[in-house]
Amino acid sequence: MDKQDLSAVRRPVETALGLSNAHYIDPAHFEEEKKAVLFSTWSGLAVASDVPEQGDAIPMSFLGMPLLLIRDKEGQVRVFYNTCRHRGMILVEEPRKIEGAIRCPYHSWCYATDGRLVTTPHVGGPGQNKHEAMDRNELGLREVRSHIWRDVVFINISGDAPAFEEVHADLLERWSEFEKPVYHGGADSKFRLEVNTNWKLAVENYCESYHLPWVHPGLNSYSRLEDHYNINELGKYSGQGTLVYRQLKGASGETFPDFEGLSSQWDEGAEYIAVYPNVLLGAQRDHAFAIVLEPVDTENTVEHIHLYYATPTTDDTLRATNTQMWKTVFEEDIFVVEGMQKGRHAVGFDGGRFSPAMDGPTHCFHEWVAGRIEAHRTPAQAAE
């Protein structure tokens, strides 16, 4: 594995290099990123609206690990390892509603929706459902640490990251006006895009508005490059904002209801921020969206896009139009991120240089990734 000198990545934007090719195409680097960047921080897994009702359960894979997203009988959204504590059997194979208990199909051990082990048939021998050596209180499902913000289910696989509210304190303060309920638009307000690119390139492209005139001509016709500003928060988050957000209007001039209590800056303003490592959020006066990036391997990413509104119900036609508008915008980016992925196979590419004026958000992300990898490597290097 070619270990790039990451100090060059962490220099000021004026002289910094981008992450080297290996960080996008080398499986060994991908494995390192799992631990350094994705497992040790608060990564996006799904949205709570995926399990709207008590007992709803969805099996998921996160970087090869089998997980179970479930809303328990008390209404709390939880994430468990989708494996029985007995012999590691997969518990739930397909999305379904858990009416009673989660039953292992192998030896019929059963778990409550809050993870407690409740029955162990014949564990002490035929007809003996208990054994003194088997303490059910110690054999519940392994729960993955999770936190929900703006409906996104964030998980910390390592279990030792600082609290989500601590890690993202600045961002929570920045968007404090939006700390109010969001309502998922339903089945017609979500879609997924399968993209042949490394997940980091999807983040990088989302961060900046530099590409707007050439990649999004329709959007650029009213929200021009000069109407945007960079959001550069080294070590925290990055993205872009616009000063000319234009509400979608229906045939009779109808619009979506606004979120209540917003200050005047949001009348025509909007912001689009990458919550490191893999969640992309948009905040506007009348709707919001969340994109959870699913890193599949070095060359493939699935983008899970969800749209939200300020009220539980909205106009069907307007909502469908809004979904299609955003789908078009995000599809316009596909050739760019796939093209950059292909470009990372050019042996002579050195990671690239950044425009000091335009690429600050992307540099912030590179600097953060490099810092996570350096911190991960330090103990290993010390052991050597």
Side-chain angles (χ1 to χ4, degrees):
M1 179 171 63
D2 174 25
K3 290 189 176 181
Q4 178 187 17
D5 179 5
L6 294 173
S7 63
V9 179
R10 306 195 70 189
R11 292 196 298 244
V13 64
E14 291 81 2
T15 59
L17 291 177
L19 292 164
S20 67
N21 289 343
H23 292 275
Y24 299 87
I25 65 175
D26 178 30
H29 274 73
F30 188 77
E31 290 299 315
E32 182 180 46
E33 273 183 8
K34 284 185 184 181
K35 299 174 183 176
V37 179
L38 294 158
F39 288 176
S40 63
T41 56
W42 289 99
S43 296
L45 173 68
V47 296
S49 295
D50 284 332
V51 284
E53 298 180 354
Q54 294 178 11
D56 285 350
I58 299 179
M60 294 185 162
S61 176
F62 182 70
L63 293 162
M65 292 184 301
L67 300 179
L68 182 65
L69 178 71
I70 188 169
R71 189 178 293 270
D72 70 19
K73 296 301 176 63
E74 301 301 319
Q76 181 177 345
V77 175
R78 298 174 179 270
V79 181
F80 296 108
Y81 286 102
N82 189 18
T83 50
C84 181
R85 292 296 303 280
H86 179 210
R87 304 307 305 146
M89 177 67 182
I90 294 295
L91 294 168
V92 180
E93 291 277 8
E94 301 289 342
R96 64 186 178 92
K97 183 176 290 294
I98 308 297
E99 300 291 353
I102 304 168
R103 188 185 71 84
C104 177
Y106 193 11
H107 298 95
S108 210
W109 285 27
C110 294
Y111 303 86
T113 55
D114 62 6
R116 290 176 295 112
L117 178 60
V118 291
T119 61
T120 49
H122 310 303
V123 73
Q128 303 297 315
N129 298 334
K130 295 182 180 179
H131 191 284
E132 60 183 15
M134 307 295 289
D135 185 349
R136 290 181 184 173
N137 294 326
E138 296 180 353
L139 292 172
L141 296 180
R142 294 289 191 190
E143 186 164 4
V144 177
R145 191 178 177 210
S146 63
H147 182 88
I148 298 173
W149 184 54
R150 298 186 68 76
D151 201 46
V152 177
V153 181
F154 293 86
I155 58 172
N156 172 222
I157 295 295
S158 68
D160 57 5
F164 183 90
E165 298 90 341
E166 179 182 343
V167 172
H168 295 295
D170 285 7
L171 178 54
L172 294 176
E173 175 60 28
R174 184 186 189 103
W175 278 7
S176 59
E177 290 186 64
F178 285 98
E179 283 299 325
K180 40 188 92 298
V182 293
Y183 298 94
H184 196 287
D188 64 355
S189 295
K190 62 180 180 180
F191 54 94
R192 55 181 273 162
L193 301 175
E194 297 183 6
V195 190
N196 303 133
T197 193
N198 187 280
W199 67 278
K200 294 189 296 301
L201 291 174
V203 176
E204 295 168 27
N205 177 70
Y206 180 82
C207 278
E208 49 97 338
S209 58
Y210 192 7
H211 65 287
L212 210 62
W214 305 281
V215 179
H216 303 298
L219 188 60
N220 187 69
S221 67
Y222 63 89
S223 183
R224 302 164 302 167
L225 182 60
E226 53 266 40
D227 297 321
H228 287 73
Y229 57 89
N230 291 341
I231 299 171
N232 302 321
E233 296 292 338
L234 274 174
K236 299 173 183 176
Y237 58 88
S238 62
Q240 55 169 303
T242 180
L243 302 173
V244 292
Y245 170 66
R246 186 173 70 181
Q247 281 187 290
L248 179 66
K249 292 185 178 181
S252 301
E254 66 273 20
T255 60
F256 294 117
D258 287 343
F259 291 100
E260 294 183 358
L262 297 180
S263 60
S264 60
Q265 78 173 91
W266 301 106
D267 288 351
E268 295 184 348
E271 289 191 342
Y272 309 98
I273 287 176
V275 185
Y276 306 155
N278 67 323
V279 174
L280 314 176
L281 298 179
Q284 296 109 169
R285 60 183 289 179
D286 59 353
H287 75 284
F289 63 77
I291 305 174
V292 179
L293 301 175
E294 178 189 346
V296 177
D297 53 36
T298 57
E299 308 272 346
N300 295 280
T301 300
V302 181
E303 301 180 0
H304 301 269
I305 298 101
H306 300 266
L307 280 77
Y308 299 87
Y309 299 92
T311 55
T313 57
T314 50
D315 180 81
D316 292 348
T317 301
L318 198 61
R319 193 176 61 248
T321 301
N322 194 43
T323 299
Q324 184 55 54
M325 181 195 73
W326 281 114
K327 189 170 187 287
T328 298
V329 170
F330 296 140
E331 286 178 336
E332 287 173 343
D333 288 312
I334 292 178
F335 89 94
V336 172
V337 295
E338 291 189 341
M340 286 191 291
Q341 182 66 24
K342 293 175 182 176
R344 292 310 187 272
H345 288 272
V347 176
F349 184 67
D350 62 358
R353 290 289 298 274
F354 298 108
S355 161
M358 304 303 298
D359 286 325
T362 302
H363 172 252
C364 282
F365 177 60
H366 278 233
E367 197 275 343
W368 181 83
V369 170
R372 299 295 310 183
I373 294 174
E374 281 186 335
H376 175 73
R377 287 178 180 174
T378 299
Q381 290 170 345
E384 293 173 359

